[in-house]
Structures are given as C-alpha cells and as structure tokens.
Amino acid sequence: MEFIEIKDGCYYFKSAVNIGYILSGDRSMGMLIDAGLEASAAKKALKTLQEERLPVTHLFITHAHADHFGGAQYVQKNVDVHTIAPALEEAIMRYPTLEPMYLFHGNVPLKEMRNKFLEAPPISIDEICEPGIWKKDSFEVTFMAFPGHSYNQFGVLYKNILYAADSFLGKEVLEKHKIPFIVDSASNFSTLQDLLKAEVSGMLPGHGSFLERYEDTIKANIEVHQRVLSQVNNFLIASGDRGLSLEDLISKMLLKHEIEPANLGSYSLFRTAVTSYLIQLIEERKAVYTIKEGRPMVFSGQSSA
Ligand SMILES: [Zn+2]
C-alpha cells in the first residue's frame, strides 16, 4: 500500500480501495478519508502515518460500503479520532447488518451474505456532515454530496483536490465491473454531471489512481451508465407485450455481460444495480412495473401492455 503525496497536505494510500489523508496547514490535525476493507489496511495506514509523524485526529467515512469502512473500527480502537459521516450512511455504519439486509430484500440475511465485503464491524459516529464548508481551528474542507452509487455518499474537497469516493471509477476498474454498482441511476447521472462541471486541480476516486485530468474518465463512466441503461430499455422493448419478470431481466443483463455471480452476495449487488436503471425508466415512464401471476413483471412503456 503505497503512501502518495498529491500535493502539500493531500495524500492517499493507493490500494484496491484507496484511503485518503489530509493534513491541516499547521500540521496539528489530520483526517483519514475512509479506512479500507479491513483492520489490516487501516493498521498499515496508521503505521505509515506514525512513522511520518503525521497526526490522525479525524476520520471521515464517505459512504457505508464495507470496503470503505471495514478498517474503521480498528482506527477507533487505536486512535482517538473524531468520526464524521453523511446522514443515513452513518446509520448503516452503526448497524452494518443493514447492508446485507437491504441487499436481501429486508430479510435476516443468509449467513453467506454476512461477510467482510457486505458487512463491516460497527463504528460510532460523532458528527453528521452537511454539504458545504466544515471548519475546525485552522482546518477547512468542503463536503460535497455525491448520491447515486449509494444513498447519501459524500466526497471532500481540500486544497482544490477532490476526494471523490465512488462517485466515479478509474477506467480499469470501470471495465472490470461491467455493470457498476449504483442504487439510484438518475442521481448517479446528475452526480457525474456535477463532477464534470467541477473545476478542481485533480480527483481521487475510491478505486483507481489520482487524476489531474479527470474529464475523460468521468465521460467514460457516463458512457458506461448510458449504455447499460439503454440495454435494459432495449430488453424491455424486445420483450413486447409479454414483458419480462424482474429476474429474467437481471438474468439477460448478466448473460449479456458474461457475468456469472459467484454467490448470492455478488448476485444481489448486480440485481440492485440493474434495478436502479429500471427505476429510472419507470420514473421516466419508459417502463411499467406490475405484479402478474404472482411475479413482478416489467414492460416497456412503449408496448401496449
Ligand atoms: Zn462503494
């Protein structure tokens, strides 16, 4: 896990899940941005910061996905940190079973879904962030809301460097995911448009490298989401008056992308993502949703059904 200085006061630990770190001008305060998938990642980050004699006084968690706060409990147990998180996400961080629970339609999740990728150890939250300027003595950052990938994901802007969380993916990661995880397609698109309009010196995604020139990568993200959205729409149009069961729609999308989820947890992430596009089509009246013969069925809004 390489410790990289972006510019004076802005750093990150480069890993499959990046951990950001920012330092106040007087070097008295330091904020970790996310904490990695598990204790071992957080432990490495804290050790490096200690060796570099850099303070850790604050912990900001961008959103309640286990790969971003799995190491947070370790940080809280080992360092006296003031922990900040966005509303709602913060509730899931305090009760992490909510993640496998919402992915498993509200049931008590099967044991196989209660793994480190879907359920992180619980943490306590000291402060809920709001969009805008946040100050503590000489430390001043701007919190920004980036919903879409999760309900109320936030990023943080410091010294004109945007720690963008999972509001977009690095290009390599984008290719690998095929159908990137989102919970709300419409707000995901508007977040990506907001990112394109942002005039910052660089952006760090949660997965991928720091980018000084980020426009192409954000445009590539928009293209992928637009493509997936039209694929869902096209399957509905092709199904005509027969429509598709929700499960068949998901299956068609997975087969199209040659994705064979290894387990229910992985399947449920894709189901949520595909359903996000469907919700946008329903909201835009391009699709309709009904219960037929005991099954949720979806039809194109353009069919006669
Ligand atoms: Zn995430």
Side-chain angles (χ1 to χ4, degrees), residues 5-297:
E5 181 173 13
I6 298 170
K7 70 189 270 190
D8 185 37
C10 297
Y11 309 79
Y12 75 109
F13 293 90
K14 188 170 169 37
S15 183
V17 193
N18 295 322
I19 298 176
Y21 175 78
I22 54 178
L23 177 66
S24 68
D26 62 2
R27 302 176 75 85
S28 67
M29 284 179 281
M31 184 186 288
L32 279 173
I33 301 164
D34 289 334
L37 172 66
E38 50 198 332
S40 59
K43 191 176 177 180
K44 279 184 206 158
L46 290 181
K47 187 167 175 274
T48 304
L49 293 170
Q50 199 177 23
E51 284 163 4
E52 302 277 336
R53 296 177 185 276
L54 292 168
V56 179
T57 54
H58 292 76
L59 171 64
F60 170 56
I61 305 289
T62 58
H63 65 296
H65 287 165
D67 56 339
H68 291 253
F69 79 102
Q73 192 187 73
Y74 179 88
V75 176
Q76 290 192 338
K77 279 185 175 165
N78 288 276
V79 188
D80 183 18
V81 282
H82 179 80
T83 305
I84 306 168
L88 202 147
E89 303 287 335
E90 138 275 341
I92 301 168
M93 294 171 206
R94 290 185 292 118
Y95 297 98
T97 305
L98 285 169
E99 184 176 354
M101 201 187 278
Y102 70 65
L103 288 170
F104 199 55
H105 29 73
N107 289 103
V108 172
L110 277 174
K111 282 193 185 67
E112 67 161 278
M113 289 188 71
R114 306 194 65 178
N115 58 55
K116 68 177 178 182
F117 299 102
L118 299 181
E119 185 173 344
I123 57 169
S124 56
I125 306 297
D126 301 304
E127 183 180 344
I128 293 173
C129 58
E130 300 287 340
I133 292 171
W134 175 94
K135 273 187 190 176
K136 172 77 183 155
D137 302 332
S138 63
F139 214 0
E140 182 176 318
V141 308
T142 304
F143 287 123
M144 301 168 87
F146 295 138
H149 168 76
S150 73
Y151 308 91
N152 195 26
Q153 171 179 257
F154 267 50
V156 59
L157 180 68
Y158 184 61
K159 294 191 169 187
N160 217 29
I161 299 296
L162 181 62
Y163 291 82
D166 291 353
S167 58
F168 73 99
L169 296 169
K171 274 188 185 169
E172 334 72 60
V173 191
L174 187 65
E175 304 261 308
K176 210 180 81 187
H177 283 216
K178 299 177 182 177
I179 304 176
F181 183 78
I182 54 170
V183 298
D184 180 348
S185 175
S187 62
N188 181 55
F189 279 118
S190 47
T191 285
L192 287 164
Q193 292 299 341
D194 288 347
L195 290 179
L196 266 189
K197 280 182 245 151
E199 286 175 10
V200 298
S201 314
M203 293 188 188
L204 178 71
H207 309 272
S209 302
F210 172 73
L211 298 163
E212 246 170 62
R213 300 176 58 89
Y214 45 83
E215 292 86 353
D216 278 0
T217 305
I218 293 169
K219 283 180 186 160
N221 276 257
I222 295 174
E223 275 167 30
V224 165
H225 290 293
Q226 277 169 342
R227 198 185 315 139
V228 179
L229 177 65
S230 13
Q231 286 163 354
V232 172
N233 196 27
N234 289 341
F235 276 130
L236 294 183
I237 293 170
S239 74
D241 293 345
R242 285 169 288 117
L244 282 174
S245 73
L246 193 52
E247 278 188 346
D248 282 342
L249 172 66
I250 290 152
S251 159
K252 281 178 184 293
M253 288 299 291
L254 292 179
L255 291 174
K256 184 171 182 67
H257 288 267
E258 296 178 354
I259 297 168
E260 188 67 77
N263 50 52
L264 192 59
S266 164
Y267 173 79
S268 65
L269 294 170
F270 285 113
R271 179 182 56 199
T272 300
V274 172
T275 308
S276 302
Y277 300 99
L278 179 63
I279 291 167
Q280 180 173 359
L281 294 173
I282 292 171
E283 298 292 353
E284 291 175 354
R285 298 176 185 275
K286 290 176 183 157
V288 284
Y289 177 95
T290 177
I291 309 293
K292 204 172 170 183
E293 293 170 354
R295 295 189 194 99
M297 296 290 293

